[in-house]
Amino acid sequence: MISIRRRLIIMLLSLIITIGGVTVFFTYNDAQHEVGELFDAQLAQSARVLDALILHQINKSDITRVDLNDIQNILNHITVLNTPSNNIVNENDNSGITSYERKIAFQIWNDKNELILRSASAPDIPLSNSSLKDKSPGYFDEHINNKRWRVFSLKTEDKKYFMQVGEQYEIRDELATDISKQLIRTSLLSLPILAILIWIAISKGLSPLGRIANEVTKRNKGNFKALDLEDIPLEIEPLTLSIDDLLKRLEEAFEKEQRFTDDAAHELRTPLAALKTQAQVALASNNDDEKERALKKIVQGVDRASHLVNQMLVIARMEKYPITNQSINLNELTSELLEQFKNKIKLKGLSVSFNAQEDVVVQSDITSLTILINNLLDNAIRYSPDKGEINISLSSNNTIVLSIENNAEVIIAEDLERVFDRFYRVPGTNVEGCGLGLSISKKISDCLGIRLSLDNKVDGSGIVAKMVW
Amino acid sequence: MRLLLAEDDDLLGDGLCVGLKQAGYTVDWVKDGIAANNALKHEQFEILVLDLGLPRMSGMEVLKALRASGNMIPVLILTALDRIEQRVAGLDGGADDYLVKPFDLDELCARLRVLQRRTAGRANPILIYKSIKLDPAAHEVTLDGEVIELSHHEFVILHYLLDNIGRVISREKLEEALYGWDGVESNSLEVFIHHLRKKFGASLIKTIRNVGYVIEKDSP
């Protein structure tokens, strides 16, 4: 599993390390540059001091080794005043750090390019050949014996001599490296502290997720109330909203399921209760008429239970058998099925009309379609009042429509929504039935791609069932 | 004992009507919630057997309205819904007992008797008055230990008067208890009272002229 915490920490630390690396690189470069400028200035200063200190002595040619050492010492400790970098070097000196002690070398050449004086640290070849040749003053970078040197050349004030003052780059590099090292050391030390702080910050940031998980986990079965959490951050809100939305849909599904089991319990248990009660009445009765009446009621009850079982079997089979596809003449099928209800129609004194365009043919499954139309006709007749009218119409314009109307009592909207639910019966229905017919019809029509609807007639004079292909 | 049955299923309602009459109840049967509500508002019943899935007005609504009006008649709920929360809701809604379909008729009758007993405030199911013992479950009355044969109507009257001992019961109430909505046969009440007096002695049931009848409290 991905851990946001781990991922964030790795990302943030890598970022910090990268930025730190880049910073060290630039700091090193900057330090080198600044140190260079400072040292260059000191080099120039050294040259001028040298000029002032010793030139007149060269003329007198009475320089001793001791003098040379003293001069060397003075040169080594020259610092440039009044530059910002100067302070740092001074501070370093004050704190007793002597690792940056400088080793300034110098050479003095006459106009015949003969070396007349050099410090002990200076080589006997020119510090800078090129500058010596054309007697050009200024700064030069040179390689002597595989060492890099910084050289400052200068003509003496009396123009008789050419002076070269130099020092090895080593010391500059060392100083710049030390500054950078210091920086790296501080950064590395702060990394673990940073990691801990980031860890704490992330934990704090992720805590709403924990609270949500907790809130959802501790819920009892059947608790679908929206999450009630305070101080939810903006970024987490879409999550809680989605969870709330999911909970709402879950609740709807749960309620639907519960309604189904309630309806099923009612439709399955009531006939059994009736059978048992009637049977017990028959058993307990001393009166023959009463006994016979109860037994007849039992037969009636068994018929009702059989109808229920048949409908349930239809559903079970529907789920099992494949759907075939063949041409079906709807005019013929409807007429044939209507014929089967002849007796019931006569018994209730219904007047039935069938208006149809000729030869309306659909591609469908004959078995399923027969059950569907049969169910709808049966319902129309069953729920029609005595002496009512049933109008069947079949049309085939843009779409094929088979509609069946009767004069049954209108159904309120709330019940209309549920008429296709299994085992649902409109309350107060006193017609025999088990609440499965319409749900079977709906299921078949869904399988066959027919839109089935049941509505009150617009003028409120009855109910219309419509199949639309 | 007058009982109101509220059940929308024809076959079950019919069976219950006959079965409860066999058990000695005077049964009035309504098939929807509004009819039940009206009957309870305007007439006196000793017990109510209530289906929850009633059309027009649900059983729970009938029960709520009943209790809200302060009517403390014992109520037994008869329903196909057996989830615990539904039972709890029924009992919390003011029902005294809850029976799930399909049920046993004998169990229903036994539970109804418990409810009656509880309402009358007696733990002993048998009504005792002097040397008369009336057993509602067995539908049997004894005098000095000997079984006295009583017709259904005589039993109902004696039961009603013993249940309300010391209280004067009006003719109308006794007739309601006897016949429910089935209609009254004139003068028959006097005939049953006469029979009872013949069997248990003339002094048992006193006539309060123009008011009704009473069995007076046993003076020590």
Side-chain angles (χ1 to χ4, degrees):
Chain A
M1 268 227 301
I2 299 165
S3 156
I4 293 182
R5 194 191 306 252
R6 199 186 314 149
R7 191 189 271 183
L8 273 176
I9 284 193
I10 290 172
M11 274 167 53
L12 284 173
L13 286 182
S14 337
L15 201 64
I16 286 169
I17 290 170
T18 311
I19 290 174
V22 172
T23 310
V24 166
F25 173 75
F26 281 111
T27 309
Y28 179 76
N29 275 358
D30 278 354
Q32 232 174 3
H33 181 71
E34 290 293 325
V35 168
E37 278 185 356
L38 176 68
F39 278 37
D40 279 355
Q42 290 180 353
L43 211 55
Q45 186 83 353
S46 302
R48 280 178 199 112
V49 169
L50 189 67
D51 188 7
L53 272 181
I54 61 170
L55 268 181
H56 65 280
Q57 294 183 359
I58 294 174
N59 291 337
K60 291 181 206 157
S61 337
D62 57 354
I63 266 180
T64 63
R65 185 137 307 270
V66 179
D67 290 338
L68 213 53
N69 275 347
D70 285 346
I71 290 165
Q72 176 82 57
N73 234 346
I74 290 166
L75 289 182
N76 282 351
H77 286 94
I78 281 173
T79 56
V80 178
L81 299 172
N82 302 326
T83 67
S85 319
N86 176 40
N87 294 331
I88 301 170
V89 177
N90 268 341
E91 273 168 27
N92 283 342
D93 285 347
N94 292 343
S95 58
I97 297 171
T98 53
S99 56
Y100 304 128
E101 207 152 298
R102 311 180 60 190
K103 291 188 181 78
I104 288 184
F106 63 88
Q107 298 171 326
I108 298 170
W109 304 81
N110 64 14
D111 47 3
K112 286 168 207 148
N113 283 354
E114 289 163 347
L115 183 63
I116 55 167
L117 187 66
R118 70 175 172 93
S119 63
S121 53
D124 47 9
I125 53 166
L127 280 168
S128 173
N129 250 331
S130 53
S131 91
L132 184 63
K133 248 177 229 163
D134 31 349
K135 298 279 183 314
S136 51
Y139 292 104
F140 300 90
D141 284 327
E142 300 297 342
H143 272 93
I144 301 165
N145 294 334
N146 289 330
K147 295 244 164 80
R148 284 175 67 225
W149 284 77
R150 184 69 166 167
V151 178
F152 181 70
S153 304
L154 182 75
K155 261 190 183 149
T156 54
E157 261 175 49
D158 55 11
K159 319 268 182 216
K160 281 185 188 162
Y161 302 101
F162 194 67
M163 196 157 38
Q164 291 192 326
V165 181
E167 71 183 333
Q168 288 187 20
Y169 259 105
E170 215 170 47
I171 180 109
R172 301 177 178 215
D173 289 345
E174 200 182 323
L175 187 57
T177 307
D178 278 357
I179 291 171
S180 305
K181 263 189 195 161
Q182 191 65 31
L183 191 68
I184 290 172
R185 203 175 305 132
T186 327
S187 307
L188 284 179
L189 275 176
S190 64
L191 264 185
I193 297 166
L194 258 177
I196 291 169
L197 289 178
I198 290 171
W199 181 275
I200 293 170
I202 292 172
S203 301
K204 211 162 170 55
L206 289 179
S207 72
L209 289 177
R211 276 194 291 149
I212 291 172
N214 201 24
E215 166 83 13
V216 173
T217 322
K218 73 175 183 205
R219 285 187 167 227
N220 297 327
K221 181 187 138 204
N223 179 357
F224 297 111
K225 270 197 306 216
L227 292 175
D228 184 22
L229 292 171
E230 281 168 15
D231 306 328
I232 283 299
L234 196 64
E235 293 81 358
I236 305 287
E237 210 181 9
L239 178 66
T240 59
L241 290 180
S242 308
I243 291 177
D244 285 349
D245 184 53
L246 184 68
L247 281 170
K248 204 166 149 242
R249 275 179 291 150
L250 209 59
E251 182 176 27
E252 278 163 12
F254 187 75
E255 273 171 4
K256 200 176 162 147
E257 184 65 27
Q258 208 137 64
R259 277 204 300 271
F260 164 74
T261 47
D262 286 354
D263 291 345
H266 185 260
E267 287 306 316
L268 296 171
R269 283 189 169 135
T270 303
L272 289 179
L275 281 175
K276 183 158 182 172
T277 305
Q278 293 286 0
Q280 287 190 309
V281 164
L283 280 172
S285 180
N286 301 318
N287 179 324
D288 282 349
D289 287 347
E290 208 174 70
K291 252 191 197 349
E292 195 183 320
R293 187 176 168 280
L295 288 173
K296 277 184 181 156
K297 292 276 180 189
I298 292 175
V299 174
Q300 211 180 310
V302 172
D303 285 345
R304 182 168 69 159
S306 308
H307 173 70
L308 171 64
V309 171
N310 285 338
Q311 295 283 55
M312 286 169 68
L313 285 176
V314 168
I315 293 180
R317 286 190 191 120
M318 239 164 39
E319 281 161 2
K320 221 163 149 194
Y321 288 109
I323 287 175
T324 60
N325 214 8
Q326 62 195 94
S327 297
I328 300 167
N329 185 316
L330 278 180
N331 305 58
E332 284 170 16
L333 180 64
T334 312
S335 302
E336 273 168 33
L337 291 172
L338 202 52
E339 189 67 17
Q340 291 174 12
F341 289 103
K342 219 165 60 182
N343 283 337
K344 279 192 183 169
I345 290 169
K346 209 186 236 171
L347 215 62
K348 284 190 109 170
L350 304 176
S351 66
V352 178
S353 69
F354 183 24
N355 299 308
Q357 286 181 352
E358 267 178 32
D359 292 327
V360 180
V361 176
V362 289
Q363 295 293 319
S364 199
D365 178 70
I366 183 72
T367 322
S368 305
L369 194 58
T370 305
I371 297 174
L372 173 59
I373 297 177
N374 195 59
N375 262 348
L376 294 179
L377 286 173
D378 183 54
N379 269 4
I381 292 164
R382 222 191 255 252
Y383 292 95
S384 169
D386 286 350
K387 309 242 178 331
E389 259 180 48
I390 291 180
N391 299 313
I392 303 164
S393 69
L394 177 59
S395 64
S396 164
N397 299 321
N398 290 328
T399 51
I400 296 174
V401 179
L402 176 62
S403 77
I404 304 171
E405 302 176 355
N406 69 0
N407 308 124
E409 253 182 70
V410 292
I411 303 174
I412 60 167
E414 200 179 300
D415 293 325
L416 264 181
E417 269 176 32
R418 294 200 57 204
V419 288
F420 292 120
D421 288 358
R422 272 186 195 182
F423 289 116
Y424 183 74
R425 301 207 68 203
V426 174
T429 311
N430 49 15
V431 178
E432 290 275 295
C434 58
L436 285 178
L438 275 180
S439 83
I440 292 173
S441 306
K442 182 71 181 171
K443 186 147 190 190
I444 291 178
S445 55
D446 285 347
C447 283
L448 299 182
I450 302 167
R451 251 185 303 131
L452 173 64
S453 62
L454 191 79
D455 273 307
N456 293 318
K457 272 161 64 176
V458 183
D459 59 1
S461 65
I463 309 278
V464 53
K466 218 180 249 179
M467 281 173 272
V468 181
W469 274 265
Chain B
M1 183 65 54
R2 197 172 178 209
L3 177 149
L4 182 67
L5 169 66
E7 167 61 62
D8 65 325
D9 188 77
D10 277 328
L11 208 58
L12 178 60
D14 177 87
L16 281 171
C17 254
V18 180
L20 290 169
K21 273 177 189 159
Q22 279 176 354
Y25 292 96
T26 304
V27 182
D28 289 317
W29 176 19
V30 288
K31 296 185 183 179
D32 67 69
I34 288 179
N37 198 38
N38 286 336
L40 288 163
K41 243 187 228 162
H42 302 299
E43 299 189 48
Q44 198 84 48
F45 296 91
E46 270 74 53
I47 203 156
L48 167 65
V49 174
L50 182 66
D51 177 25
L52 287 186
L54 291 175
R56 304 223 281 165
M57 182 172 175
S58 81
M60 280 308 293
E61 286 170 322
V62 172
L63 186 58
K64 289 220 172 88
L66 181 74
R67 293 311 188 209
S69 72
N71 191 335
M72 294 318 291
I73 173 179
V75 176
L76 184 142
I77 286 177
L78 207 57
T79 173
L81 308 180
D82 63 342
R83 276 186 284 122
I84 298 292
E85 57 265 38
Q86 289 165 331
R87 289 171 191 239
V88 169
L91 294 172
D92 283 351
D96 298 276
D97 205 350
Y98 197 101
L99 202 55
V100 176
K101 297 173 185 177
F103 50 87
D104 192 283
L105 195 54
D106 294 334
E107 187 187 350
L108 173 64
C109 291
R111 286 179 182 237
L112 289 175
R113 283 196 296 274
V114 170
L115 290 185
Q116 287 167 245
R117 218 155 60 220
R118 203 186 294 160
T119 329
R122 283 177 284 106
N124 188 351
I126 295 170
L127 296 166
I128 302 171
Y129 178 77
K130 292 182 178 169
S131 51
I132 300 170
K133 285 186 183 174
L134 183 143
D135 183 350
H139 229 261
E140 193 180 74
V141 182
T142 60
L143 179 64
D144 293 324
E146 275 187 41
V147 176
I148 307 288
E149 287 291 329
L150 288 184
S151 77
H152 170 68
H153 288 130
E154 291 162 6
F155 183 88
V156 170
I157 292 170
L158 185 62
H159 188 186
Y160 201 106
L161 288 173
L162 283 175
D163 242 351
N164 295 282
I165 210 149
R167 261 179 282 173
V168 180
I169 307 297
S170 67
R171 273 188 69 93
E172 291 74 27
K173 274 226 161 143
L174 279 175
E175 277 170 351
E176 256 182 30
L178 275 178
Y179 307 112
W181 295 333
D182 294 345
V184 183
E185 297 149 45
S186 63
N187 283 335
S188 50
L189 185 63
E190 279 87 347
V191 175
F192 299 135
I193 298 279
H194 176 70
H195 286 165
L196 283 170
R197 283 174 176 156
K198 254 181 29 190
K199 288 173 184 171
F200 297 97
S203 63
L204 175 70
I205 302 170
K206 293 214 160 58
T207 307
I208 311 293
R209 195 168 288 277
N210 292 331
V211 183
Y213 301 91
V214 65
I215 294 180
E216 284 184 332
K217 268 193 182 150
D218 196 4
S219 47

